[in-house]
Amino acid sequence: MRRKIVAGNWKMNGSKDLVNSLVGEIRSGLASLDNGVEVVIIPPALFVSGVVDQAGGEVAVGVQNVACWDSGAYTGEIAAGMARDVGCSYTLVGHSERRQLFGETDGQVAVKVGRALASGLGAVICVGETLEEREAGKAEEVVSGQVREAASEVGGSQWSQVVIAYEPVWAIGTGKTATAEDAQAMHASIRAVLTSLGAPADEISLLYGGSVKADNAAALFAQPDIDGGLIGGASLKADDFVSICRAVPGRS
Ligand code: PEP
């Protein structure tokens, strides 16, 4: 059975004080939750160890990016193995901000997926179309291409470490959310692409991201192919984030 996951991407926000207050508040809020959701916090890399300490093993921790290399003269980069070493279980790969602001290509995303999986991290592979691509009727083609390229570095049992986050670029941080129906349609299309690649598509968790809030999460998470969410802004407030975690339907 595929996992239900809610992951909070803090982006370049936070401080030691926030780590010390927010993680504990999130843990308290989750204490009475029994819907089986796996919760992941993805802070800036400098705060990972602090979050790992505060998380007490109850909440998983991830990094927002890893390098294309294992080690060496790559000043400023962080290897997947280092993230694993300090207690991370996940990394984001190919977030649209990495692709758009830092020119990360599908090819680099694929290499990073390979590094992450080889280091024992789960890879949350982010895919999604721009507004222009959607309006040109190319959304499924673009997302399918991103999934296929990222999948080129995944083999056999490594699929159990893969999570895919569909995040339409026009919905990230804008307050605009895909309708539950449009999001479901894209998730079903991603699952079909995975099947065509020979991946165990029914076992792979697919998350929706893009302005998910406490008031729209339940409708999105009720869709049959949406297994949770990747949350940006709303992950920085404990009440909002916990409400989103609560919106995941319980195990049936
Ligand atoms: C994100 O950072 O991946 C994201 C979805 O952000 P937001 O929820 O703020 O749109």
Side-chain angles (χ1 to χ4, degrees), residues 36 42 49 61 65-66 136 164 189 198 204 220-221 223 231 235 243 250:
I42 308 176
S49 292
V61 184
N65 181 34
V66 291
I164 295 183
S189 153
I204 298 172
L220 289 158
F221 298 167
Q223 301 302 311
I231 319 300
S235 70
S243 297

Side-chain angles (χ1 to χ4, degrees), residues 9 11 95 167 171-173 209-212 230-233:
N9 172 19
K11 311 195 188 202
H95 190 281
E167 301 202 297
I172 297 179
S211 298
V212 177
L230 178 55
I231 319 300

Side-chain angles (χ1 to χ4, degrees), residues 38-57:
E38 179 179 347
V39 178
V40 188
I41 294 178
I42 308 176
L46 282 174
F47 299 133
V48 159
S49 292
V51 174
V52 168
D53 289 346
Q54 298 285 332

Side-chain angles (χ1 to χ4, degrees), residues 69-115:
W69 310 276
D70 283 335
S71 65
Y74 302 105
T75 302
E77 294 284 295
I78 295 170
M82 296 171 182
R84 185 86 183 116
D85 194 28
V86 296
C88 287
S89 9
Y90 289 98
T91 181
L92 298 180
V93 189
H95 190 281
S96 70
E97 286 152 17
R98 302 285 330 158
R99 294 179 190 261
Q100 295 211 309
L101 302 175
F102 303 99
E104 210 165 275
T105 63
D106 282 346
Q108 287 169 322
V109 169
V111 171
K112 291 180 180 199
V113 168
R115 295 285 175 209

